[in-house]
Amino acid sequence: RTIGDRIGEAKASGNLGNTLKILGQFDEAVVCCQRHLDISQEQGDKVGEARALYNIGNVYHAKGKHLSWNMAQDPGYLSQEVKETLQKASEYYERNLSLVKELGDRAAQGRAYGNLGNTQYLLGNFSEAIAFHKERLAIAKEFGDKAAERRAYSNLGNAHIFLGRFDISAEYYKKTLQLSRQLKDQAVEAQACYSLGNTYTLLQDYERAIEYHLKHLVIAQELGDR
């Protein structure tokens, strides 16, 4: 501020916002991220503007999750405050998405789609969540980003469960399992086995359910995860 470096001030405000978000001071975080947005717009800095929109989305997303954890509800059964907070997150992610499309930044589009999928899932809009996660998946494949691809499969599995499409969920969870093994991520592999166990229980295929729950158990024991 002293030297009149507006772009520097904008970036510093954004960093402050992100740090306050991690500290759980969501309202102060929004103020700082909003300053990042205002200065970026004033300076015609489109990249900064996109980043600020994304960061504000993240703050509302984190606040919504934080509020819903305190209430321990299923996706779609939310208090008015949580709903409004997650809708705000979604609006900022949408604005970010249209801007990064304009900028041709595919990686940033992938991140926006993933977060839109997650906020819509929490809001109980499972069909919308699926559409966003499919976009996320396509971009992850484009970049060869196996970790993002794995997360997309997992999220697609979760959303289909709530639509009662258990067979489709099972297929997505199997892909999650495959990728977690490729990535040598045992904790995620265990989680995928657990999801498959539950899904086969819903499909009333109990033999398979037992098979996957046993795999989950073995990895949990290996990891010493009580």
Side-chain angles (χ1 to χ4, degrees):
R1 278 181 175 160
T2 311
I3 61 171
D5 175 1
R6 293 295 276 168
I7 299 275
E9 184 184 339
K11 281 182 185 165
S13 299
N15 289 337
L16 266 172
N18 291 340
T19 309
L20 287 162
K21 178 197 79 178
I22 294 165
L23 291 169
Q25 296 173 25
F26 303 115
D27 299 337
E28 295 94 322
V30 169
V31 173
C32 293
C33 290
Q34 185 65 48
R35 192 179 304 132
H36 184 193
L37 179 62
D38 294 341
I39 299 172
S40 299
Q41 285 173 332
E42 164 211 301
Q43 296 292 314
D45 174 7
K46 291 282 190 192
V47 174
E49 184 182 342
R51 196 160 293 152
L53 288 167
Y54 182 74
N55 289 343
I56 297 174
N58 281 346
V59 175
Y60 282 119
H61 194 174
K63 183 182 179 180
K65 280 201 285 196
H66 176 77
L67 291 170
S68 64
W69 282 335
N70 294 347
M71 298 164 195
Q73 296 146 321
D74 275 331
Y77 298 92
L78 302 169
S79 73
Q80 199 49 38
E81 187 188 3
V82 174
K83 240 183 210 163
E84 283 168 9
T85 305
L86 290 170
Q87 272 157 353
K88 273 187 186 161
S90 222
E91 283 161 27
Y92 280 100
Y93 287 140
E94 289 273 15
R95 286 173 63 187
N96 165 263
L97 180 61
S98 66
L99 191 49
V100 293
K101 275 183 176 170
E102 198 184 302
L103 293 166
D105 185 343
R106 286 294 278 169
Q109 287 168 45
R111 288 192 291 275
Y113 280 125
N115 282 319
L116 278 162
N118 291 336
T119 47
Q120 290 304 311
Y121 173 81
L122 290 172
L123 284 163
N125 303 329
F126 303 113
S127 299
E128 288 89 333
I130 287 166
F132 286 128
H133 285 309
K134 280 183 173 168
E135 294 281 0
R136 175 69 192 109
L137 178 63
I139 295 174
K141 283 179 171 173
E142 220 174 275
F143 280 89
D145 183 343
K146 293 289 183 193
E149 192 182 332
R150 199 269 311 148
R151 286 195 300 275
Y153 283 133
S154 184
N155 289 328
L156 283 162
N158 294 344
H160 279 93
I161 289 281
F162 282 94
L163 292 177
R165 299 184 194 148
F166 307 135
D167 48 339
I168 299 175
S169 287
E171 291 313 308
Y172 281 124
Y173 288 141
K174 279 180 195 163
K175 288 182 167 159
T176 306
L177 181 58
Q178 222 177 334
L179 277 172
S180 63
R181 283 176 177 157
Q182 271 182 38
L183 293 163
K184 296 187 171 41
D185 186 335
Q186 278 198 297
V188 173
E189 185 182 339
Q191 185 61 53
C193 290
Y194 176 77
S195 298
L196 278 161
N198 288 340
T199 307
Y200 280 114
T201 301
L202 292 167
L203 286 164
Q204 298 181 341
D205 184 342
Y206 302 116
E207 290 297 321
R208 265 189 177 170
I210 289 168
E211 196 184 303
Y212 282 112
H213 282 309
L214 282 171
K215 284 179 180 170
H216 174 221
L217 178 62
V218 169
I219 299 172
Q221 287 170 336
E222 271 177 32
L223 295 173
D225 182 342
R226 301 285 288 174

